[in-house]
């Protein structure tokens, strides 16, 4: 997993990131995030493979999460100063399965429509019954251990009260679709060919990153309070939309990392979540507190401090499967996930 400067500079991944984000940002991304050689392999002509496009999107999304989470940004800066790099394990986002989501496809479909052309596929489904949600792990088919996964959760609005459903409708029915007809045509070509011409990939990449954002109008404060009474997760969606709920760093020993950060007085979760298998262990910083706008009963804009995104840590063990293959355990755990979701449960 070396990153020789020459191999980075000449890679299609670097060229794509430079074209979209500039040389300085591209260099910072490669300094910050460990990128496996398989993701730097030469590509024929000016084509950009779905693997390269997926990795470029993930790197930009990771950086976007750091801008939203000061504690994560500080942690990464300290890690880089000590000569380390981040191993980006997965990003998580929340969606809403509601009757009316405006121009945005319902629930996970808003992301499935481009994750699949990029080469991701659902590896497993995780019931999140306590939260009235379902989680799906999207893993890259071409390089499952080298490309960060997506944990896409979907809130089942029909399992809540009529008042809650009305508040959800009031919020998400105003959603826009960040993807144009041209973007969708490029995704169809990507799905068929598993690659795009460079210019098309560079045009599509910022639009994909833009899908991880708030697509609906400013919520009413009364709706926010109604949502918060029954689901902290939906209240979070009303202010943060489809932004990365968290980005995750794969560390060697999550217990040691947590103890170290706790000793420094960092806002780390009290408990490390351990999967049923024992092979997957997770903890996280508490959610950043952010100022968001609402519309009050008089139609005026008001601000409140609410939970934003956070930064997570994970340790995954390797294991031998039934066929005798040595693999990294890429699975998730429903109990772990529901424990981690509590990071955004407290509203101020």
């Amino acid at each position: 997993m070396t990153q020789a400067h020459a191999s980075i500079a000449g890679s299609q991944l670097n060229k794509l990131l430079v074209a979209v984000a500039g040389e300085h940002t591209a260099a910072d991304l490669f300094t910050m995030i460990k990128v496996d050689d398989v993701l730097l392999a030469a590509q024929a002509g000016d084509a950009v493979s779905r693997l390269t496009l997926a990795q470029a999107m993930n790197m930009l999304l990771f950086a976007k999460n750091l801008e939203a989470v000061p504690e994560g940004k500080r942690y990464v800066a300290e890690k880089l100063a000590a000569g380390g790099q981040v191993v980006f394990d997965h990003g998580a986002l929340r969606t809403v399965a509601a009757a009316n989501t405006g121009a945005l496809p319902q629930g996970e479909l808003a992301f499935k429509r481009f994750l699949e052309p990029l080469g991701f596929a659902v590896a497993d489904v995780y019931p999140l019954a306590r939260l009235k949600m379902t989680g799906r792990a999207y893993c890259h088919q071409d390089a499952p251990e080298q490309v960060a996964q997506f944990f896409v959760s979907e809130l089942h609005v029909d399992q809540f009260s009529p008042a809650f459903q009305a508040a959800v409708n009031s919020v998400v029915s105003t959603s826009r679709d960040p993807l144009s007809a041209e973007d969708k045509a490029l995704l169809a070509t990507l799905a068929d060919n598993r690659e795009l011409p460079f210019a098309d990939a560079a045009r599509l990449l910022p639009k994909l990153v833009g899908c991880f954002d708030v697509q609906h109008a400013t919520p009413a404060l009364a709706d926010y309070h109604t949502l918060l009474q029954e689901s902290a997760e939906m209240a979070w969606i009303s202010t943060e939309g489809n932004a990365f709920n968290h980005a995750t760093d794969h560390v060697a020993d999550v217990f040691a990392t947590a103890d170290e950060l706790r000793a420094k007085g960092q806002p780390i979760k009290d408990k490390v979540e351990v999967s049923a298998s024992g092979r997957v262990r997770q903890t996280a910083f508490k959610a950043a507190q952010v100022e968001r706008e609402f519309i009050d009963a008089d139609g005026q804009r008001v601000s409140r401090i609410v939970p934003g995104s956070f930064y997570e840590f994970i340790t995954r063990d390797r294991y031998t499967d039934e066929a005798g293959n040595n693999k990294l355990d890429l699975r998730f755990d429903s109990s772990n996930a529901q424990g981690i979701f509590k990071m955004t449960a407290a509203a101020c």
Side-chain angles (χ1 to χ4, degrees):
M1 295 180 67
T2 61
Q3 287 194 98
H5 178 74
S7 64
I8 290 175
S11 69
Q12 200 75 310
L13 177 59
N14 181 63
K15 293 174 184 176
L16 182 59
L17 287 169
V18 168
V20 171
E23 290 187 10
H24 179 74
T25 297
D28 285 348
L29 289 172
F30 279 105
T31 299
M32 179 169 57
I33 302 169
K34 182 171 284 190
V35 179
D36 194 274
D37 283 346
V38 70
L39 304 173
L40 302 173
Q43 294 172 221
D46 76 338
V48 175
S49 71
R50 66 181 190 178
L51 179 61
T52 295
L53 187 54
Q55 178 65 14
M57 179 185 73
N58 283 7
M59 293 171 77
L60 290 170
L61 288 170
F62 183 87
K64 187 176 181 181
N65 177 261
L66 291 190
E67 293 306 313
V69 185
E71 295 84 0
K73 189 172 185 179
R74 180 174 60 244
Y75 162 82
V76 171
E78 291 176 355
K79 189 168 190 174
L80 296 183
Q85 281 185 301
V86 170
V87 177
F88 185 19
D89 183 88
H90 72 273
L93 58 137
R94 298 173 176 178
T95 68
V96 186
N100 183 0
T101 53
L104 192 68
Q106 295 181 11
E108 65 145 348
L109 295 178
F111 291 86
K112 180 179 181 177
R113 60 182 175 158
F114 65 84
L115 289 177
E116 287 188 341
L118 285 169
F120 293 92
V122 174
D124 215 336
V125 178
Y126 300 90
L128 307 173
R130 294 201 304 270
L131 306 178
K132 300 178 182 176
M133 301 177 83
T134 298
R136 292 176 176 85
Y138 278 83
C139 186
H140 205 282
Q141 300 174 83
D142 301 339
E145 292 191 11
Q146 291 77 28
V147 176
Q149 298 184 76
F150 288 89
F151 191 86
V152 182
S153 58
E154 186 177 60
L155 185 122
H156 304 296
V157 177
D158 59 357
Q159 296 180 21
F160 291 86
S161 73
F164 181 93
Q165 293 182 40
V168 170
N169 181 74
S170 176
V171 173
V172 301
S173 63
T174 63
S175 298
R176 59 180 285 272
D177 189 346
L179 297 179
S180 67
E182 180 186 12
D183 300 328
K184 294 169 189 175
L186 290 177
L187 286 167
T189 300
L190 181 63
D192 290 340
N193 301 337
R194 298 193 173 193
E195 63 181 27
L196 285 175
F198 187 92
D200 289 340
R203 187 179 305 114
L204 182 61
L205 179 54
K207 300 300 291 291
L208 297 177
V209 173
C211 290
F212 297 81
D213 210 335
V214 180
Q215 311 301 346
H216 55 257
T218 303
L221 186 58
D223 287 334
Y224 179 81
H225 287 308
T226 297
L227 298 174
L228 190 59
Q229 289 177 11
E230 297 187 44
S231 170
E233 290 70 37
M234 184 60 222
W236 188 92
I237 293 169
S238 74
T239 64
E240 310 306 301
N242 302 126
F244 255 17
N245 173 255
H246 61 268
T248 307
D249 189 0
H250 183 157
V251 297
D253 183 345
V254 75
F255 284 100
T257 298
D259 288 345
E260 180 182 345
L261 291 169
R262 194 172 294 113
K264 292 180 179 179
Q266 299 297 315
I268 195 77
K269 188 176 183 294
D270 296 331
K271 178 185 175 185
V272 171
E273 304 291 338
V274 180
S275 67
S277 71
R279 291 194 295 264
V280 181
R281 302 173 290 282
Q282 299 166 260
T283 194
F285 282 129
K286 295 173 183 177
Q289 297 300 299
V290 296
E291 186 175 0
R292 296 290 183 256
E293 281 194 340
F294 298 88
I295 305 299
D296 69 9
D298 297 321
Q300 302 299 309
R301 289 185 176 270
V302 295
S303 295
R304 296 289 186 273
I305 303 298
V306 299
S309 299
F310 61 94
Y311 189 90
E312 182 186 344
F313 307 90
I314 193 167
T315 298
R316 296 183 183 275
D317 293 341
R318 301 194 74 86
Y319 72 105
T320 302
D321 67 12
E322 294 178 356
N325 301 309
N326 182 266
K327 292 184 174 181
L328 185 67
D329 192 339
L330 296 174
R331 287 172 288 191
F332 293 88
D333 182 276
S334 291
S335 179
N336 277 18
Q338 290 173 118
I340 291 292
F341 271 37
K342 291 179 182 177
M343 292 296 90
T344 59
C348 299

